[in-house]
Amino acid sequence: MVRETRLTPESFVYPLFVCPGEGVRKEVSSMPGVFNLSVDEAVREAREAHSLGVPALILFGLPETKDEVATGAWADDGIVQRAARVIKQEVPEMLLVGDVCLCEYMSHGHCGIVKPSSPRPVGAAVATSPATGTEFEIVNDATLELLARTSVSLANAGIDVIAPSDMMDGRVAAIRKALDEAGLENTPILSYAAKFASAFYGPFREAADSAPQFGDRRSYQMDGANLREAMREIELDVEEGADMIMVKPAMPYLDVISAARERFDLPIAAYQVSGEYAMIEAAARNNWIDRERVMMESLISIRRAGASIILTYYAKDAAKLLG
Ligand SMILES: [Zn+2]
């Protein structure tokens, strides 16, 4: 009766990594218990999660091929589009969130279009490629067009919530406009509004095969030292039409979740990322910590900080414990 914060499976979003093939269930070595799943296996996971009371999935895709314009992200027969159609048919009550980014589908692994820098750069620097010595940069506005195209394609395939994670400037407005023009006015946007450039994403890049081939993402993701900048980024996304906002990672940024809760009245999501999961799993496997207790404590702390939606690899396991 006196407990201030409660954890329920209704707040969980369970991430799935969908890959080509059939009967594929390949464990991610740095994330024990997390798998690359072919569409048929993803349906099985969706069914199980649903039976445990988990109401939503977020889908990430591992395409057959990658290129310089992220075709796999926006193609009608893209891997996430195919998975969404089948899951919607087999488990219609499951809410599907579609991660919108290009890095998983780009041969270079960056979240946007990358071009060699001209003498007068138009975008944020990414890196100098060690092989050629050429400077590269992200081309923000051309990237927006691909993100918008991806969002419309996902929504048409049955994705209920569009979740842009790329951190390009102006992408929420561009996606909102494209969805509206396609007659998808009712598709909401969950924006990764405060996404920090974090080493905690390491294991995810193995899971989604999306590590940048050169340089890093610090020119478009946020500096972990900046709380005020995080608030400004969130505010911009709200102004552009975001319906829900996300802070990522969760544990090292609980103060950001809390500050966002104070300041904004939209639903707030937090992503307990791969590195947070991997640390708990590794310590538990060494019998250094009590896995179940640490898992539940980590989740309740995210709720206490103010997130009403938690994206977590523990969705199924925590839902089991919560009964
Ligand atoms: Zn990305």
Side-chain angles (χ1 to χ4, degrees):
M1 278 173 80
V2 295
R3 176 165 261 199
E4 295 172 20
T5 310
R6 281 171 208 280
L7 208 51
T8 56
E10 287 99 66
S11 55
F12 296 151
V13 180
Y14 185 42
L16 293 187
F17 299 96
V18 194
C19 67
E22 227 188 288
V24 181
R25 200 175 173 80
K26 181 173 156 255
E27 193 165 42
V28 180
S29 64
S30 52
M31 298 173 76
V34 174
F35 300 85
N36 288 170
L37 304 162
S38 52
V39 173
D40 54 321
E41 290 290 324
V43 170
R44 274 178 47 182
E45 282 290 312
R47 258 198 211 106
E48 195 192 346
H50 178 65
S51 72
L52 291 166
V54 175
L57 304 175
I58 183 164
L59 302 181
F60 298 93
L62 291 98
E64 253 141 79
T65 55
K66 303 181 185 225
D67 57 28
E68 308 263 296
V69 287
T71 307
W74 45 265
D76 266 347
D77 62 347
I79 185 71
V80 173
Q81 285 83 345
R82 275 186 276 154
R85 282 191 201 99
V86 180
I87 295 172
K88 268 290 162 195
Q89 200 172 4
E90 302 291 322
V91 197
E93 304 86 3
M94 186 58 92
L95 183 91
L96 297 184
V97 182
D99 176 84
V100 174
C101 198
L102 306 178
C103 49
E104 295 140 64
Y105 308 93
M106 287 287 201
S107 42
H108 47 62
H110 277 287
C111 302
I113 293 174
V114 170
K115 263 185 30 177
S117 290
S118 56
R120 294 170 61 195
V122 294
V126 203
T128 305
S129 165
T132 59
T134 314
E135 296 266 330
F136 284 88
E137 62 183 35
I138 284 276
V139 190
N140 190 92
D141 291 9
T143 301
L144 297 183
E145 204 265 316
L146 293 185
L147 294 168
R149 201 187 296 185
T150 301
S151 303
V152 170
S153 166
L154 290 176
N156 280 330
I159 293 285
D160 300 292
V161 177
I162 294 298
S165 64
D166 52 281
M167 292 303 278
M168 298 299 133
D169 287 338
R171 90 260 207 230
V172 173
I175 289 171
R176 182 73 273 158
K177 183 163 173 278
L179 288 172
D180 291 352
E181 283 170 5
L184 298 158
E185 298 93 340
N186 294 328
T187 302
I189 297 176
L190 162 59
S191 153
Y192 287 65
K195 180 177 179 181
F196 291 91
S198 172
F200 284 89
Y201 304 148
F204 175 94
R205 289 176 186 168
E206 183 203 337
D209 185 26
S210 65
Q213 299 302 303
F214 53 85
D216 57 46
R217 298 188 176 131
R218 277 180 286 189
S219 72
Y220 45 102
Q221 294 181 354
M222 292 188 42
D223 181 352
N226 290 2
L227 174 69
R228 286 190 295 271
E229 188 190 8
M231 296 302 110
R232 195 168 69 239
E233 288 282 350
I234 294 172
E235 206 168 317
L236 287 171
D237 281 7
V238 173
E239 279 168 17
E240 288 182 27
D243 301 282
M244 294 165 266
I245 50 182
M246 193 196 299
V247 175
K248 179 184 180 183
M251 189 188 66
Y253 299 94
L254 291 174
D255 58 325
V256 178
I257 298 171
S258 172
R261 177 70 295 156
E262 290 285 310
R263 190 148 153 186
F264 302 99
D265 54 10
L266 296 179
I268 292 177
Y271 200 141
Q272 182 180 48
V273 302
S274 58
E276 299 175 62
Y277 175 85
M279 285 196 307
I280 295 173
E281 289 302 301
R285 265 148 218 257
N286 273 303
N287 292 315
W288 292 342
I289 56 168
D290 180 326
R291 180 179 182 273
E292 289 189 353
R293 286 188 57 199
V294 171
M295 166 173 83
M296 297 313 266
E297 194 175 332
S298 69
L299 293 169
I300 199 87
S301 75
I302 299 168
R303 287 281 285 153
R304 194 188 62 240
S308 44
I309 303 163
I310 305 175
L311 293 86
T312 174
Y313 301 101
Y314 285 125
K316 276 193 334 185
D317 290 354
K320 272 180 208 158
L321 283 183
L322 293 165

